[in-house]
Amino acid sequence: MPDFPEEPIYQQLARIGKALSNPVRLRLLDVLDQRERTVEELSEEAGVALKNTSAQLQQLRAAHLVTSRKEGTRVHYRLADERVSRFLGHFQGFAHERLADLRDAVEERLGSFEAVSVAELAARLAEPDTVVVDVRSAEAYAEGHVPGAVSVPLKELRDRLGELPGDTEIIAYCGGPYCVVSPRAVEMLRAHGYRARPLDGGLTGWRRSGRAVQGSG
């Protein structure tokens, strides 16, 4: 017998909480929020062992947060729908407001740069001197990017600095809200005399706001 009449209801609600209670599962959700991936691709990009990735995906699937499709012998995973992405955005924002330790961890790993908000970038895209740099891989850029952004993967940035104007601020972005690539790009740009800031939330933040992307994705 339940301890109280409503317990079965709260047991079902707790399934979502349980699915989000594991840092590996949260990491996998953030990576899947960028695009669909096979288990192998997800394991490599998330930095999680393949066996553990597969096990955690089953937990996320049981909570209806992700879905999958089979293509030959390969299984492709993606978020169940756009509402999952929006929910993750609200969840991360709420946690950021409530947890000083989270804010400290974000600053420690991403730096204390003043980020450009999605709304600010959207307004600035109409200005002819706005320079937006996508520092993800060329493949990720081709699948979808901020309109007007140019692709300069981080590993190529140092050799391609001469392609960037030195008289205007550069806005750099990578994948998700906790991606370390764009802060590293901003750090490199500033070290070479450029004015630069990262985009808050990366491409995931841009898409969560309902704004369109360019590309094949």
Side-chain angles (χ1 to χ4, degrees), residues 15-28:
R15 292 174 62 190
I16 300 297
K18 181 179 180 181
L20 299 178
S21 67
N22 181 292
V24 171
R25 290 196 284 270
L26 290 173
R27 170 65 174 151
L28 296 177

Side-chain angles (χ1 to χ4, degrees), residues 38-40 69-76:
T38 65
V39 179
E40 293 79 10
R69 66 179 179 87
K70 200 165 184 181
E71 189 176 276
T73 60
R74 310 192 80 181
V75 180
H76 299 251

Side-chain angles (χ1 to χ4, degrees), residues 15-205:
R15 292 174 62 190
I16 300 297
K18 181 179 180 181
L20 299 178
S21 67
N22 181 292
V24 171
R25 290 196 284 270
L26 290 173
R27 170 65 174 151
L28 296 177
L29 287 171
D30 254 357
V31 176
L32 285 174
D33 204 350
Q34 298 169 40
R35 64 182 174 88
E36 180 183 81
R37 287 170 172 81
T38 65
V39 179
E40 293 79 10
E41 291 170 336
L42 187 56
S43 170
E44 181 177 358
E45 185 158 347
V48 179
L50 182 60
K51 185 176 181 180
N52 193 17
T53 297
S54 182
Q56 302 305 334
L57 284 170
Q58 298 313 309
Q59 294 291 324
L60 292 171
R61 189 175 179 180
H64 302 285
L65 296 176
V66 305
T67 187
S68 64
R69 66 179 179 87
K70 200 165 184 181
E71 189 176 276
T73 60
R74 310 192 80 181
V75 180
H76 299 251
Y77 281 86
R78 63 184 183 275
L79 295 189
D81 53 51
E82 291 184 0
R83 291 175 296 175
V84 177
S85 178
R86 292 195 296 269
F87 172 75
L88 290 172
H90 291 308
F91 169 69
Q92 291 166 350
F94 181 79
H96 193 86
E97 292 175 357
R98 295 283 167 160
L99 302 175
D101 288 345
L102 173 59
R103 295 192 294 273
D104 290 343
V106 169
E107 182 172 336
E108 179 182 346
R109 285 155 181 80
L110 304 186
S112 55
F113 301 114
E114 180 187 354
V116 176
S117 70
V118 167
E120 179 184 350
L121 176 57
R124 290 178 58 177
L125 285 181
E127 301 173 5
D129 61 343
T130 298
V131 178
V132 185
V133 175
D134 186 319
V135 294
R136 302 172 301 151
S137 69
E139 294 78 14
Y141 173 86
E143 290 173 352
H145 55 269
V146 172
V150 296
S151 175
V152 186
L154 180 64
K155 64 182 180 181
E156 302 175 10
L157 180 58
R158 189 180 302 276
D159 294 332
R160 295 177 60 184
L161 287 173
E163 300 177 20
L164 302 174
D167 57 351
T168 188
E169 183 179 63
I170 297 170
I171 301 168
Y173 73 85
C174 50
Y178 306 126
C179 175
V180 300
V181 178
S182 58
R184 290 174 181 169
V186 167
E187 189 175 52
M188 183 186 300
L189 287 164
R190 291 188 175 189
H192 285 81
Y194 291 85
R195 291 186 294 118
R197 287 193 289 162
L199 173 63
D200 187 27
L203 186 65
T204 296

